C-alpha cells in the first residue's frame, strides 16, 4: 500500500517534470485541445440559441376556442374546468363578449366607429385563450377540446405549429449530429497532436523499455500528462468561450430577434463538466494509445 | 549462467550477423568479447537483452530460456542485468542524477536507497559535480561514465558492457576496469565487448573472439590477439 | 540556370523521400489539415444555405401598387413605363380590374358567391405587381413609385422586408466572422501539428546545419513537404465534404423548408480553390516557420 | 591555418571548459589533441565549427576571423571543413549512401560527381555492401566509418576528427589512420582528438595536450604521455 502511494506520487512527479521539459509539446497540445473544444463550443452556442429561440417562439403559441352563443355562465365554467384538466394546458384565459368587443375596438383604433353598431347586439362570441407547456401539445389539446360540448370553433394555428415543430426537430437533430461529428473531429485532432508529441519521445520510451521498465511504469506518466494537458486545454477553451460569449451577449443588441440569448452563466454550467471530462479523457486515452504503440516496437 | 545453444541471427533477408553460436559463461566469470567491427558483438548483447530475437537457437540465462520468456516477464528479466550500451542510451530529458535514479525507480528501489546510492555511484565514476547537467551538456567520456554508473545502480548479478571505454582516456579507462574487476570479485558476472587491446591483454581474463558472426577463439586468460 | 533546375528537382525529391519515411508525421499532418478544413467546410455549408434561403425568401417579396380609379389606359401604360425605368425593378405585372376580380374569386373558392355582386360595378382597383432584384431595393423603389401620379396605394410589406434584410445581414456578418475565426483556428491547428512534426526532426535539422547546409537548403524540402501535406489534406477534406454533402442533398428531403439546398456542385466550385490554396499556404508557411525556429538554435 | 587567440569558453555561469587558449596550427599539419575526459577537446572543435561561440578571444581560420563571421557565411565556412563528430551525427532518416551524398549535395556537387565519389568513399572505409542500410542498422564501428567517409567527401582543406576510432578495432583503426596520413600528405590539415595512446605514440605527430581547459603540453613528434 505504501508502495502504491509512493508509485502514484512518482508518476505524478514524473509527468509534471516531463511537461516542464517539453515545452513545444505542451504548448502544441494545450493549444490543440483548447482550439478544438473552442470550435465545438461555438457550435454548441449556436445550437443552444437556436433551440432556445424555437422554444420561446413555441411558448407564444396559443389555442383560441370560441364558444357557442347558447353557452351559459355555468356551462362556461364547466368547460373552463374541463380544459384546465387536459394534460399539457398551463393557462386558460376567459374572454367575455364585452372583453372581445373592447379588444376589437382597440385593434381598430381610429376606425373603431365601425364596431359601434355592435354595442346594441354584440355579435362577437365569448372565447378562451389557452396556453400549453410545449408546442408539441397543441394538436393533442385542441383535439381534446373539440370533443367538449358548446364549442363553436377552435383556432390552433395548426399549420404553423406543425411546421415549427418539424423545423425545431430538424435543427435539433442536425445540431446533435453536427456536434457529434465535431466532437469526433476534436478527439481526432487532439489525439493526433498527442501522438506526434509522444512520437518525438519514442527514443526515450524505447530506452526505458530496455532498462527494464514495465509497460505501465512507462505508460502512467504519459497518461497523466495527457490528462493534465487535456484539462488545461479544456479550461483554456472554457474560459475563452465564457468570456467572449459574455462580452457578446452584453454588447450586441439583437433587438430585432424574437428571442433572448442563452445566458453566459447557463452556457458555462452546460459546458463546464462536459468539456473538462472530454479534454481529460481524450488527452489521457490519446497518450495511452500513442505510448502503447511505441512500446510494442 | 549464460548459455547459447545453436544461436543464429539473420538481419533482413540474408545478412548473417551471428551464425550457430554455442557458448557457456559461468556465474562469476569475467569475459571479454572481441572481434572486428561488424563481427556481431552488439548483436550478441542485444540477443541477451531480448532487444532482438534470435533467428534460430535458444538462449538460457540463469536457468531460464529467455527465448520463450513471456512478454510480461521481460522487464523483470532486464532489471537483473546492468548494461552499458555502445550508444549510451541516456534519457535526454533527464539529468545525470535522474538518469541513474530512474534505473533504480524502475527496480522499485526506495527513495531512501536512491538518495543514498546515486551520489555513491557518481563518486565512483568521478561525476559528483555533474549531477544536475543533462546528457547533451556532458563530454563524450562523461556520458559514457554515466552509462556505467547506471549499469551498476541495481547491483545486478550480470553486467554487460558494450565498449565501455571507447570514449575514455587511458586513466579513466583503467579506473573503470579496476571498478569492474572489483565488482567481478564480489561474484558478479561480467561480459565486456571491447576493442582496447591493452586492456584485454593486461587483464588476462577469458577472451571470446568473434569474426563474421562465428566464434573463432575462446581462451581462458587470453589476449586480444588481432595483430596489426 | 541548369544548377537551379537541378536544385529544384533535388528539393522535390528530398521532400518526397522525407514524406515516405515519416509516416506518423504524414498521417498526422494530413489528418489535421483535412479535419480542420472539414469543420470549416461544414460551417461554410451552413452559412451558404442560410444565405441562400434568405435570398430566396427575399426574391419572393414584391411591391403591390394600386392605381386610382380615374387612371386611363394611356396613363396606366405611362406609369408602367415609368416604373420599369426605376433602377432595381426587374418585372412589372399589370393586373386589370377584371383580373383582380378573377383572382379574388379564386381565393374565395366555395364562398365566391360573396363577390358576385361585384360583377356589375367592379370596386376592385387595377394594380401592378412589381418584382425587384434584391430585397434591399424595395423601399427605394416604392419611394420612387410614390412620387408618380395616379397611385392610390402602395403595399411593400415594409416591416417584413426590413426585418428580413437586417436578419440576413446579421447572419451574413456573423457567418463571415465565425468563418474567420474558424479559419484562424484551422491555421493554428495545422501549423501546430506541422510544428510538432518538424520538432521531432530537430536533431536532423541541426546536423544539416553543422554540415554546412544553408538555411534555404534545409528549409526548401520542409516547405515543399508542408505544401504537399497541406494540398493532400485539403483534397481529402474537399472530397469528404463534397461526397457527404451530395449524399445529404440527394437523400434528405426538407420539403417543409422554404428553400432548396445549395447544390453540391456549386459548393465544390466555391470551396475547391479556396481550400487548396489555404491548405497549401498554411502547410508551407507552417513548415517554414517551424524549421526557421530550429535553425536559429 | 588555425589560430586561437586568448580563447576561453565558459558554460553556464561558471564551468570553465577552455581557459585562455593560444594556439597556432599551420597548413598541412597533423595534430593530435589529447587529454582526459572533460578536458575541453570537443569544446575546442565546437568552437572551430562555430557550433558554439567563445566567451572570450578570437579564432582565425584561413585568415578569416570566424568569431566575426556573418551568419550568412557560416555554411560556406563549414563546408570547407570535414568533421568526424564524436557522436557521429548521421542523419537517421537517410541511408549510408544518402548520408554521404547529402554532404556533397550541400556543397553543390554535381550528380555525376556524387555518383562517382560516394562508392569510392564507401570502398575506402570498407562499407561497399552497406550503402542501402540506415544508421540504426549499422554496428557502432560501421557508423563511425560512415562519419569518416562523409568528412572526406568534399575534399576539405581541413579535417577535424573527434575520437574517430573509439568504436573501431585495431585493424580498422590503423586502416583509418593510414588513410588520414595519406590525405595529410597531399596537403590537408588534420586535427584529431583521440584517447588511443598507441596510435598517438606510433604516428609521431604534433601532440597538444589539454587538461582542465588549459594546454599543458605542445610537442612536435610527441607521444600520448598519460602514463597509467
Ligand atoms: N537492424 C539491422 N539490419 C540489418 N543489418 C544489421 C542490423 N543490425 C546490425 N546489422 C549488421 O549486423 C552486423 C553485426 O552488427 P553488430 O552491431 O553486432 O556488430 P559489432 O560486432 O557490434 O560491431 P562494432 O564493433 O562495430 O560495434 C553488422 O554488419 C551490421 O551492419
Ligand atoms: N552545454 C554544456 N553545458 C555545461 N557544461 C558543458 C556543456 N558542454 C560541455 N560541458 C562541460 O565542459 C567540459 C568539457 O567538455 P568537452 O566535451 O569539451 O570534453 P572533452 O575533452 O571532449 O571530453 P571527452 O574526452 O570525454 O569527450 C565537460 O566537463 C562538460 O561537462
Ligand atoms: Mg557494436
Ligand atoms: Mg569529447
Amino acid at each position: 500500500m505504501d508502495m502504491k502511494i509512493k508509485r502514484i506520487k512518482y508518476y505524478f512527479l514524473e509527468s509534471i517534470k516531463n511537461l516542464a521539459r517539453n515545452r513545444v509539446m505542451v504548448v502544441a497540445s494545450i493549444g490543440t485541445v483548447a482550439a478544438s473544444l473552442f470550435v465545438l463550443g461555438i457550435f454548441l452556442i449556436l445550437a443552444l440559441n437556436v433551440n432556445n429561440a424555437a422554444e420561446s417562439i413555441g411558448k407564444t403559441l396559443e389555442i383560441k376556442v370560441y364558444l357557442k352563443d347558447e353557452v351559459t355562465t355555468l356551462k362556461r365554467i364547466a368547460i373552463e374546468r374541463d380544459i384546465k384538466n387536459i394534460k399539457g394546458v398551463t393557462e386558460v384565459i376567459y374572454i367575455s363578449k364585452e372583453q372581445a368587443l373592447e379588444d376589437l375596438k382597440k385593434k381598430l383604433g381610429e376606425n373603431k366607429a365601425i364596431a359601434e353598431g355592435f354595442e346594441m347586439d354584440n355579435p362577437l362570441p365569448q372565447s378562451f385563450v389557452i396556453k400549453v407547456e410545449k408546442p408539441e401539445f397543441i394538436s393533442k389539446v385542441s383535439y381534446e377540446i373539440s370533443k367538449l360540448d358548446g364549442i363553436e370553433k377552435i383556432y390552433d394555428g395548426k399549420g404553423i405549429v406543425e411546421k415549427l415543430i418539424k423545423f425545431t426537430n430538424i435543427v435539433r437533430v442536425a445540431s446533435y449530429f453536427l456536434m457529434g461529428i465535431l466532437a469526433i473531429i476534436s478527439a481526432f485532432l487532439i489525439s493526433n497532436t498527442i501522438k506526434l508529441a509522444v512520437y518525438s519521445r519514442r527514443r526515450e520510451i524505447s530506452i526505458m523499455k530496455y532498462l527494464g521498465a514495465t509497460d505501465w511504469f512507462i505508460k502512467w506518466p504519459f497518461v497523466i500528462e495527457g490528462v493534465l494537458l487535456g484539462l488545461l486545454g479544456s479550461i483554456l477553451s472554457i474560459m475563452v468561450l465564457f468570456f467572449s460569449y459574455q462580452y457578446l451577449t452584453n454588447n450586441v443588441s439583437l433587438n430585432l430577434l424574437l428571442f433572448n440569448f442563452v445566458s453566459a452563466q447557463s452556457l458555462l454550467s452546460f459546458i463546464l463538466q462536459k468539456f473538462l471530462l472530454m479534454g481529460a479523457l481524450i488527452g489521457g486515452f490519446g497518450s495511452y494509445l500513442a505510448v502503447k504503440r511505441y512500446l510494442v516496437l | 549462467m549464460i548459455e547459447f545453444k545453436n544461436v543464429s541471427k539473420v538481419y533482413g533477408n540474408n545478412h548473417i550477423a551471428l551464425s550457430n553460436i554455442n557458448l557457456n559463461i559461468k556465474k562469476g566469470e569475467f569475459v571479454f568479447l572481441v572481434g572486428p567491427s561488424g563481427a556481431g558483438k552488439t548483436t550478441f548483447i542485444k540477443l541477451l537483452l531480448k532487444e532482438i530475437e534470435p533467428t534460430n537457437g535458444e538462449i538460457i540465462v540463469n536457468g531460464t530460456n529467455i527465448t520463450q520468456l513471456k512478454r510480461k516477464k521481460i522487464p523483470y528479466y532486464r532489471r537483473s542485468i546492468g548494461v552499458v550500451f555502445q550508444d549510451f542510451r541516456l534519457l535526454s530529458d533527464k539529468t545525470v542524477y535522474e538518469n541513474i535514479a530512474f534505473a533504480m525507480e524502475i527496480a522499485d528501489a526506495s527513495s531512501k536507497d536512491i538518495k543514498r546510492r546515486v551520489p555513491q555511484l557518481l563518486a565512483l565514476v568521478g561525476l559528483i559535480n555533474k549531477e544536475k547537467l543533462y546528457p547533451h551538456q556532458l563530454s563524450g567520456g562523461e556520458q559514457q561514465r554515466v552509462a556505467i554508473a547506471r549499469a551498476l545502480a541495481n547491483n545486478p548479478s550480470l553486467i554487460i558492457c558494450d565498449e565501455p571505454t571507447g570514449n575514455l582516456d587511458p586513466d579513466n579507462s583503467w579506473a573503470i576496469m579496476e571498478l569492474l574487476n572489483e565488482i567481478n570479485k564480489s561474484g558478479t558476472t561480467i561480459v565486456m565487448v571491447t576493442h582496447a587491446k591493452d586492456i584485454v591483454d593486461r587483464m588476462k581474463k577469458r577472451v571470446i573472439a568473434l569474426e563474421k558472426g562465428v566464434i573463432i577463439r575462446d581462451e581462458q586468460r587470453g589476449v586480444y590477439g588481432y595483430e596489426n
Side-chain angles (χ1 to χ4, degrees), chain A, chain B:
Chain A
M1 197 55 220
D2 217 38
M3 202 62 206
K4 268 275 159 69
I5 291 171
K6 175 187 169 283
R7 246 316 122 74
I8 291 171
K9 201 179 128 199
Y10 171 79
Y11 291 144
F12 265 93
L13 280 178
E14 267 300 295
S15 58
I16 287 165
K17 268 192 222 156
N18 283 339
L19 288 179
R21 281 169 200 172
N22 289 278
R23 236 168 293 164
V24 179
M25 196 201 95
V26 169
V27 172
S29 306
I30 293 183
T32 301
V33 176
S36 307
L37 293 181
F38 181 68
V39 173
L40 192 59
I42 289 180
F43 203 82
L44 207 112
I45 288 175
L46 291 180
L48 282 179
N49 277 309
V50 171
N51 263 327
N52 182 47
E55 253 171 41
S56 65
I57 291 170
K59 275 192 191 127
T60 65
L61 293 172
E62 47 193 31
I63 303 172
K64 197 137 196 189
V65 177
Y66 294 98
L67 300 184
K68 285 193 181 135
D69 258 357
E70 69 260 24
V71 170
T72 62
T73 306
L74 261 177
K75 176 76 184 158
R76 188 257 297 168
I77 291 170
I79 294 175
E80 185 165 354
R81 198 200 48 223
D82 287 347
I83 293 177
K84 272 196 178 139
N85 282 338
I86 297 172
K87 208 180 141 259
V89 171
T90 53
E91 206 180 349
V92 179
I93 299 159
Y94 170 63
I95 292 163
S96 64
K97 291 171 82 74
E98 295 74 34
Q99 181 66 41
L101 187 57
E102 277 302 297
D103 290 354
L104 180 64
K105 277 188 191 162
K106 246 182 228 155
K107 252 186 210 160
L108 289 170
E110 287 172 16
N111 310 325
K112 67 177 169 188
I114 299 171
E116 229 128 75
F118 292 176
E119 304 220 336
M120 310 285 103
D121 178 20
N122 190 341
L124 298 174
Q126 42 184 339
S127 62
F128 290 119
V129 171
I130 294 150
K131 301 213 162 129
V132 295
E133 255 174 54
K134 285 182 187 177
E136 282 88 341
F137 288 131
I138 283 187
S139 58
K140 217 204 82 220
V141 169
S142 72
Y143 171 70
E144 294 289 334
I145 294 172
S146 71
K147 290 193 292 190
L148 298 177
D149 260 359
I151 306 295
E152 171 78 36
K153 204 157 193 175
I154 302 174
Y155 287 115
D156 59 4
K158 210 170 184 180
I160 294 175
V161 173
E162 279 176 355
K163 273 199 177 173
L164 187 76
I165 291 172
K166 257 199 193 169
F167 180 73
T168 319
N169 281 342
I170 286 181
V171 168
R172 197 168 289 152
V173 170
S175 66
Y176 286 157
F177 182 70
L178 278 180
M179 245 142 66
I181 291 182
L182 279 181
I184 292 171
I185 290 177
S186 301
F188 171 75
L189 286 173
I190 295 169
S191 72
N192 221 355
T193 307
I194 288 180
K195 216 178 283 169
L196 266 182
V198 172
Y199 174 71
S200 76
R201 274 153 74 193
R202 62 196 180 285
R203 184 180 156 270
E204 263 60 41
I205 294 173
S206 76
I207 291 178
M208 293 179 190
K209 230 177 85 184
Y210 295 136
L211 292 178
T214 57
D215 287 0
W216 275 107
F217 189 92
I218 299 173
K219 272 185 238 167
W220 269 122
F222 277 97
V223 171
I224 295 171
E225 257 181 79
V227 171
L228 291 178
L229 288 174
L231 282 177
L232 288 175
S234 59
I235 289 170
L236 186 62
S237 77
I238 291 168
M239 275 171 33
V240 173
L241 278 171
F242 176 72
F243 288 115
S244 51
Y245 186 62
Q246 200 176 41
Y247 178 84
L248 187 84
T249 50
N250 286 344
N251 291 282
V252 177
S253 68
L254 290 179
N255 47 1
L256 87 155
L257 291 180
L258 301 150
F259 61 99
N260 289 318
F261 278 125
V262 173
S263 78
Q265 268 67 27
S266 62
L267 172 76
L268 186 64
S269 67
F270 188 81
I271 62 172
L272 188 62
Q273 287 168 314
K274 293 191 187 68
F275 272 31
L276 287 177
L277 195 72
M278 189 162 161
L281 276 183
I282 300 175
F285 200 65
S287 289
Y288 169 78
L289 288 182
V291 194
K292 215 177 143 186
R293 196 176 151 169
Y294 297 110
L295 283 174
V296 196
L297 298 184
Chain B
M1 179 163 213
I2 302 173
E3 203 182 339
F4 273 58
K5 286 187 184 165
N6 296 315
V7 174
S8 298
K9 175 67 194 176
V10 182
Y11 285 117
N13 293 323
N14 52 8
H15 184 87
I16 304 168
L18 284 179
S19 152
N20 209 32
I21 299 292
N22 283 287
L23 193 69
N24 213 314
I25 295 173
K26 279 192 276 300
K27 197 165 160 43
E29 266 194 290
F30 194 128
V31 179
F32 283 116
L33 196 62
V34 301
S37 177
K41 306 179 295 297
T42 300
T43 302
F44 179 91
I45 287 175
K46 284 182 176 169
L47 285 171
L48 257 180
L49 272 175
K50 254 182 114 56
E51 189 178 325
I52 53 176
E53 293 300 319
T55 316
N56 270 312
E58 287 185 342
I59 300 166
I60 292 142
V61 180
N62 262 336
T64 325
N65 185 336
I66 64 160
T67 30
Q68 283 162 13
L69 205 62
K70 289 208 192 85
R71 193 177 141 64
K72 280 213 148 191
K73 295 206 165 167
I74 298 176
Y76 304 94
Y77 166 67
R78 285 186 180 145
R79 285 179 210 170
S80 69
I81 308 175
V83 192
V84 183
F85 296 95
Q86 190 169 14
D87 49 359
F88 313 154
R89 298 200 189 169
L90 301 176
L91 295 166
S92 58
D93 49 7
K94 293 197 188 304
T95 64
V96 167
Y97 184 98
E98 288 167 347
N99 260 283
I100 299 170
F102 184 79
M104 295 184 71
E105 287 284 357
I106 284 177
D108 281 332
S110 72
S111 322
K112 220 182 70 194
D113 282 354
I114 294 175
K115 285 206 189 86
R116 196 178 40 79
R117 185 147 172 79
V118 178
Q120 282 178 3
L121 289 163
L122 287 174
L124 272 181
V125 297
L127 288 177
I128 276 291
N129 54 343
K130 303 275 172 189
E131 63 173 31
K132 290 211 178 74
L133 296 184
Y134 289 90
H136 75 266
Q137 297 175 315
L138 298 178
S139 81
E142 286 162 355
Q143 290 180 36
Q144 196 153 40
R145 286 179 278 159
V146 176
I148 292 166
R150 185 179 63 184
L152 307 179
N154 292 321
N155 285 316
S157 58
L158 170 62
I159 294 178
I160 298 175
C161 304
D162 199 349
E163 204 79 70
T165 61
N167 283 275
L168 290 178
D169 55 287
D171 282 359
N172 268 306
S173 299
W174 277 111
I176 296 296
M177 289 317 298
E178 269 155 29
L179 183 59
L180 289 177
N181 209 3
E182 216 52 48
I183 292 168
N184 173 245
K185 274 181 191 150
S186 69
T188 306
T189 315
I190 294 182
V191 177
M192 174 167 160
V193 172
T194 190
H195 294 305
K197 187 177 180 308
D198 51 340
I199 288 178
V200 177
D201 291 351
R202 269 172 64 172
M203 294 281 288
K204 302 220 165 52
K205 302 286 182 183
R206 177 171 171 194
V207 175
I208 298 174
L210 278 176
E211 213 174 294
K212 291 181 182 151
V214 181
I215 295 180
I216 54 160
R217 191 155 50 88
D218 186 349
E219 300 173 335
Q220 300 295 333
R221 297 182 61 82
V223 291
Y224 188 86
Y226 289 90
E227 279 316 310
N228 34 63

